[in-house]
Amino acid sequence: MEKEVVWQDLLRARYGNIRLKVLIGDVSILSKKESHWWRDLIVSDNYEKLLFDHFTSAIKCNVGNGFSTPLWFASWAGQKSIMELFPNLFSLAGNFLDSINLAGAFVEGVWNWNLASWFEEGSIAAELAADLLQNASYSCVAALEATEAGLAAADSGAGTASVPTQQLAAELQSLLAALNTVRIKENVEDSFSWAKDSSGSFTVKSCYEFFKKFLSGPPLESDKVKALNFLWKFKVPPKILCFAWRFLLNRLATRDQLVRRGVLEEGIDSRCALCGSGEESLSHLFFLCNVSVHIWRRVFMWLDLSGLLSFEEFGDFFYNFRKIPCLNKCMIVGTVWLATVWSIWLKRNAVIFEKEAFSFTECMSDIVLSSWRWLCAFHKRVNLCNFYLWNTLPLLCFER
């Protein structure tokens, strides 16, 4: 428990009111001393959409003194936030990043709302709010009479005149009624719970499931889903699995992708690094490039797959793996396939970044050695396969 308090004090000292900043997306935290993770999160494309439309709806706010609860964005006076319940009032807010404790004050231990402070000083909304709190027998008619002089001057105001005064008065009355159902406690800190878990505790799994439906794009084809599921069965280094996952989803930083993102210019910069002809896309680099085709043919011959798969089917192995009836052979072929795409990628990077000349012999040697090492590290029959046997009869070396 003491460790938790120490970390809380450390985080508060560095970030300030963390809970409030998270719930309102306060960009003031984006200074040089702040973590790269937080800065990347704030400026991400999905942050604002997920924060205001979804994340805050999953947070249950138990208001204490109001220091950590956003006035407009959090759901603390009902099932929805004040921003969602009263969009017209929100559009007229003076400072929409305020917390609840700035929306009123304690007078002799009793909380008093100050609605006028929610809006720009001198605005129609501020005058209506002040009249509402001063007059117990407040009505829309009284509001109109009280602000009749101000309406003429508000015609040129920023957005206020676009909302009918009667509507503003009615919304302020409804807002005050909602506020009066909430008790602000002077010496009690705000607390929060995660509404998407029965225990009220935040879990990464429940958050992932909650956001998945908002972040997911078009559904993947069933064949691609099966290919991705099969990929994770392979016993190869994690970085190879991550690379292959990106490969199957066409998320590698090939030159056509970099051109699309504005990193490279179309033309010479987008040419294939191995053959120098044609735009370097994933399909070109790994399957259509003359250099890559030569590598795949040599690997196909080395594995002696003619009785199991065609050359074209081997290239799309993760979509045709069911055509190999023996699971053991299927895992061997898949491991070699992963070693092949990985070696082609490494050689391509060496050509671009280290100005090395491409060597077909070195690439083939890397494929044979890498796949053997991966299989030996994880295969149950490791002692039955030496490198000489692997180099000559790869599909048989784990069969005995």
Side-chain angles (χ1 to χ4, degrees), residues 201-339:
S201 300
F202 176 86
T203 63
V204 174
K205 180 179 180 180
S206 63
C207 185
Y208 171 77
E209 293 296 332
F210 176 58
F211 281 136
K212 186 167 63 174
K213 58 185 177 182
F214 302 118
L215 287 176
S216 59
L220 296 175
E221 302 88 345
S222 59
D223 288 345
K224 184 165 288 188
V225 172
K226 293 176 182 178
L228 291 170
N229 289 336
F230 184 57
L231 169 65
W232 298 108
K233 299 181 183 296
F234 282 83
K235 304 295 185 180
V236 296
K239 67 178 180 180
I240 306 301
L241 289 176
C242 292
F243 169 80
W245 176 71
R246 294 175 62 198
F247 179 96
L248 293 174
L249 292 175
N250 193 14
R251 292 295 185 269
L252 294 181
T254 49
R255 287 181 162 180
D256 66 323
Q257 297 280 11
L258 296 177
V259 169
R260 190 173 297 113
R261 299 170 192 172
V263 178
L264 298 177
E265 293 185 5
E266 191 171 2
I268 297 178
D269 288 345
S270 63
R271 289 181 183 176
C272 175
L274 297 185
C275 68
S277 61
E279 184 182 55
E280 186 193 83
S281 62
L282 185 140
S283 59
H284 174 88
L285 175 64
F286 289 96
F287 302 111
L288 302 178
C289 172
N290 293 332
V291 177
S292 297
V293 171
H294 188 31
I295 294 171
W296 283 109
R297 289 196 180 279
R298 181 61 66 87
V299 172
F300 184 77
M301 294 171 60
W302 170 57
L303 289 175
D304 191 18
L305 293 174
S306 57
L308 299 173
L309 295 174
S310 67
F311 178 70
E312 290 73 18
E313 289 173 336
F314 176 53
D316 287 332
F317 168 76
F318 277 90
Y319 295 94
N320 299 294
F321 65 88
R322 284 186 171 82
K323 294 186 177 182
I324 301 178
C326 175
L327 179 60
N328 194 55
K329 288 184 178 181
C330 188
M331 300 304 291
I332 293 174
V333 173
T335 302
V336 173
W337 189 94
L338 292 172

Side-chain angles (χ1 to χ4, degrees), residues 11-198:
L11 290 172
R12 288 195 187 102
R14 180 167 183 177
Y15 294 104
N17 195 332
I18 305 168
R19 293 174 175 176
L20 181 65
K21 289 187 175 185
V22 168
L23 290 174
I24 66 177
D26 187 358
V27 296
S28 67
I29 201 172
L30 299 182
S31 64
K32 292 183 179 180
K33 72 172 185 176
E34 315 305 350
S35 71
H36 291 285
W37 179 88
W38 179 255
R39 279 185 282 171
D40 290 344
L41 174 63
I42 290 289
V43 300
S44 67
D45 294 336
N46 290 308
Y47 176 72
E48 185 173 344
K49 177 180 183 295
L50 290 178
L51 175 69
F52 298 136
D53 293 348
H54 308 297
F55 183 74
T56 54
S57 67
I59 301 296
K60 182 180 179 182
C61 303
N62 302 307
V63 182
N65 53 26
F67 275 85
S68 299
T69 304
L71 177 62
W72 293 99
F73 297 131
S75 303
W76 55 272
Q79 298 298 319
K80 296 183 178 181
S81 65
I82 301 297
M83 173 185 66
E84 295 174 290
L85 293 173
F86 305 101
N88 290 326
L89 297 180
F90 176 72
S91 67
L92 305 174
N95 188 353
F96 55 84
L97 299 181
D98 280 349
S99 56
I100 292 176
N101 72 299
L102 298 177
F106 284 99
V107 179
E108 297 181 354
V110 179
W111 177 259
N112 293 287
W113 293 104
N114 182 9
L115 287 183
S117 67
W118 295 29
F119 310 99
E120 294 184 7
E121 186 177 356
S123 66
I124 297 300
E127 292 184 16
L128 289 172
D131 290 337
L132 173 59
L133 295 177
Q134 290 175 3
N135 299 290
S137 58
Y138 181 85
S139 68
C140 292
V141 176
L144 287 173
E145 294 175 351
T147 59
E148 184 176 356
L151 280 174
D155 288 338
S156 59
T160 305
S162 62
V163 182
T165 306
Q166 287 186 340
Q167 184 176 349
L168 285 179
E171 288 194 12
L172 284 168
Q173 282 185 310
S174 300
L175 172 60
L176 186 60
L179 298 180
N180 288 333
T181 64
V182 180
R183 181 187 173 193
I184 308 300
K185 310 173 189 68
E186 187 171 8
N187 298 316
V188 179
E189 289 190 3
D190 298 340
S191 61
F192 304 88
S193 56
W194 181 247
K196 299 304 175 180
D197 190 272
S198 57

Side-chain angles (χ1 to χ4, degrees), residues 355-370:
K355 308 303 179 183
E356 292 184 2
F358 178 82
S359 171
F360 175 82
T361 303
E362 287 183 9
C363 187
M364 282 301 306
S365 297
D366 291 345
I367 294 170
V368 174
L369 183 59
S370 296

